[in-house]
Amino acid sequence: MNSALTRRTKLTRTWIVILMIWGIALCGTAVASAAPLAPAIPPGAEASSHFDVAVATDAWLSQFSGPARKNSDSYFEGGYWLILWDFLATVAVMLLLLETKASAWMRDFAERIARLKLFQYWIYFIELVLAATVLTFPLTVFEGWVREHTYGLSNQTFGAWLSEQLIALGLTLVLGGLAFSALIAIVKRLPRTWPAWGAVIALLFVTIGAVIAPVFIAPLFNTYKPLENRVIKNQILSMARANGIPAHDVYEVDASRQSKRVSANVSGLFGTGRITLNDNLLARCSPQAIMAVMGHEMGHYVMHHIYNRLMFAAIQIVVMFSLLRWGLDKLVGRFGGRWRLLSPTDLAAAPVAILILTILGLLLTPIQNSFTRTQEYEADIFGLNASRQPDGEAEADLLLGEYRKLDPGPLEEMIFFDHPSGRTRITAAMRWKAENLCLFDPALPCESVSVAAKGPSSR
Ligand SMILES: [Zn+2]
């Protein structure tokens, strides 16, 4: 997911993130000069009789060094801190709404102006989202606009950025409001068994969101059109046919409207599933890198990663809702009087629920990241086998290094990375190359003798 670090706990964007089940940023930044015709293979990474995975990996990694590498590391490490600031901001805002009894007031107001229960829930949700949006606005501006510009990753004027924030807010108020009202109705009607039924409803909304996102939501932010470059398109469709993917079109999106990052993704479900690559990718990557990226995206499709993600989300939701019910009973039992809450299932207890879910979300971050990172690694391996472009893969991984730290420690990667690090990915690509050297030089054997003799290479 594209820089999930900075978004996770932002209330206004949470629903958009969930709904879009967004992939899979793969390449790098800055729409620069024309795309290279082939990957510029560094000395040490060419196919040869003494090809060595570790040496080839380091050769690729050394291509991105100096101040640019420092800048990228600093950007990505700043993201670790943003997890903490987002968490603290959410906790502070929810405690403020409870301690000032504003939440109870918002409930009373909703009940006064609407007769129908469902409308009361919806009005309360609107009040809550607007309050949280206003209170966290300075942090949102810093995170979404100032910081992106400081690191040279954004193309947007403040006005354009703000108008997208307003569209996202509108979507949250409508779609999030629908889901919230349905959930509250279940909680009220089934106070004992709502964690199970609530999970069913939540999953239903996530699934509907995933189906409609590419058709109705994504076009609100960008223009999608079938890929125009016929040569690239034919190569991509050929690879799709070879892997049993019934694709007739590949889509191109004008991501350069917002950012300089290069990316591609698979989105949608059932009939709305599609593969999209962005214009930055087309402008900056060699055809080999584009094929490696597309092979990766096809891996997500063939291995049903979106469905697996939904199943994983279902398990997470059931566990979180069960803990949520327990936490609500405890906290509302203890502080309900002070916060003017009537019961654990009171509408005005929503900030308590958000507080608990935010804490659980923070604790689950490494597990969530490890789940998606594992899928991404699987897609990398599929992509290498499908595209047979290890150098294209390394080229793309290096471009990614412009906004994702290339060479973290193992624990750092486990906790904070929702995609494998550049080093992990390039190592996998060079390992694949070592066992397929004859594809790159017919005079070489099809497996690397030096690697076979040394045993499997790590990192
Ligand atoms: Zn991916």
Side-chain angles (χ1 to χ4, degrees):
M1 314 250 153
N2 120 40
S3 204
L5 284 178
T6 56
R7 301 179 175 190
R8 189 145 296 133
T9 54
K10 291 261 90 165
L11 193 64
T12 50
R13 275 178 280 169
T14 301
W15 269 98
I16 303 306
V17 173
I18 293 172
L19 291 176
M20 294 179 104
I21 311 273
W22 231 200
I24 308 147
L26 250 172
C27 262
T29 61
V31 184
S33 49
L37 288 171
I41 302 173
E46 304 107 329
S48 72
S49 56
H50 52 273
F51 185 86
D52 183 278
V53 176
V55 171
T57 302
D58 285 337
W60 272 108
L61 287 172
S62 69
Q63 297 297 100
F64 187 60
S65 57
R69 175 96 163 247
K70 279 209 176 71
N71 193 52
S72 149
D73 286 356
S74 147
Y75 173 76
F76 197 76
E77 286 162 7
Y80 306 163
W81 287 100
L82 285 184
I83 295 178
L84 181 67
W85 302 136
D86 285 344
F87 170 78
L88 292 177
T90 307
V91 169
V93 167
M94 294 307 141
L95 281 177
L96 183 74
L97 294 176
L98 291 165
E99 285 291 331
T100 59
K101 302 178 184 63
S103 182
W105 181 89
M106 295 190 307
R107 171 202 60 206
D108 296 343
F109 177 77
E111 286 176 356
R112 236 189 351 263
I113 65 166
R115 288 188 53 180
L116 212 62
K117 293 274 183 204
L118 275 178
F119 280 126
Q120 292 174 2
Y121 306 158
W122 205 324
I123 291 166
Y124 174 85
F125 179 78
I126 291 171
E127 294 173 283
L128 180 63
V129 170
L130 290 181
T133 303
V134 170
L135 290 168
T136 58
F137 189 67
L139 184 60
T140 308
V141 172
F142 167 73
E143 212 168 288
W145 198 80
V146 176
R147 187 168 176 266
E148 295 296 305
H149 277 268
T150 306
Y151 283 96
L153 292 170
S154 176
N155 282 341
Q156 279 185 308
T157 61
F158 186 73
W161 176 82
L162 192 63
S163 69
E164 285 194 352
Q165 296 298 306
L166 290 174
I167 296 172
L169 178 63
L171 280 170
T172 304
L173 293 180
V174 175
L175 299 176
L178 264 174
F180 178 83
S181 305
L183 271 174
I184 296 292
I186 291 282
V187 170
K188 295 272 190 195
R189 191 152 294 206
L190 303 163
R192 282 168 57 82
T193 54
W194 70 260
W197 297 112
V200 173
I201 293 286
L203 203 67
L204 187 70
F205 274 95
V206 171
T207 308
I208 292 171
V211 173
I212 67 169
V215 185
F216 296 108
I217 297 177
L220 295 175
F221 298 91
N222 287 93
T223 305
Y224 288 74
K225 60 178 184 187
L227 179 61
E228 277 170 5
N229 185 326
R230 292 210 68 80
V231 178
I232 298 278
K233 181 177 165 178
N234 286 341
Q235 285 178 351
I236 293 171
L237 289 179
S238 165
M239 187 160 70
R241 284 193 299 275
N243 290 285
I245 299 169
H248 302 291
D249 244 322
V250 178
Y251 289 83
E252 177 185 342
V253 57
D254 60 341
S256 57
R257 192 197 275 187
Q258 289 98 354
S259 107
K260 300 168 184 172
R261 300 178 188 210
V262 181
S263 78
N265 69 61
V266 196
S267 58
L269 276 182
F270 312 121
T272 65
R274 64 171 62 171
I275 290 173
T276 307
L277 49 84
N278 82 15
D279 53 354
N280 296 332
L281 174 95
L282 285 165
R284 289 198 68 198
C285 289
S286 69
Q288 291 85 340
I290 292 174
M291 292 310 286
V293 170
M294 287 288 103
H296 170 103
E297 301 306 333
M298 288 178 195
H300 283 307
Y301 181 90
V302 170
M303 291 185 280
H304 306 300
H305 280 170
I306 291 183
Y307 298 94
N308 295 345
R309 266 181 211 195
L310 282 178
M311 271 191 275
F312 186 69
I315 295 166
Q316 270 184 316
I317 291 171
V318 172
V319 170
M320 285 177 92
F321 278 11
S322 304
L323 291 169
L324 175 60
R325 200 185 75 151
W326 174 82
L328 277 171
D329 286 348
K330 291 274 173 214
L331 281 175
V332 176
R334 175 103 192 254
F335 301 105
R338 176 166 150 185
W339 295 334
R340 233 164 43 78
L341 307 178
L342 308 173
S343 73
T345 60
D346 185 357
L347 187 57
V352 185
I354 293 170
L355 210 55
I356 296 168
L357 291 176
T358 303
I359 294 168
L360 291 174
L362 185 74
L363 295 175
L364 282 174
T365 299
I367 298 173
Q368 174 72 44
N369 281 346
S370 294
F371 180 83
T372 56
R373 197 178 60 251
T374 306
Q375 283 196 333
E376 296 300 333
Y377 185 73
E378 289 172 357
D380 276 356
I381 301 296
F382 184 99
L384 285 168
N385 284 314
S387 70
R388 304 175 194 190
Q389 298 293 350
D391 295 309
E393 170 69 32
E395 178 195 326
D397 295 335
L398 219 51
L399 286 169
L400 252 183
E402 292 174 4
Y403 63 87
R404 184 179 293 137
K405 194 174 177 181
L406 271 177
D407 199 1
L411 190 64
E412 189 180 6
E413 186 163 351
M414 200 273 281
I415 295 174
F416 294 114
F417 278 62
D418 58 5
H419 282 63
S421 68
R423 178 178 279 283
T424 303
R425 303 181 107 166
I426 294 175
T427 301
M430 293 303 106
R431 190 178 58 206
W432 193 95
K433 187 174 180 179
E435 303 307 327
N436 293 276
L437 288 171
C438 57
L439 292 180
F440 307 94
D441 183 349
L444 292 171
C446 273
E447 65 284 340
S448 161
V449 177
S450 63
V451 170
K454 279 197 258 171
S457 172
S458 65
R459 285 186 75 86

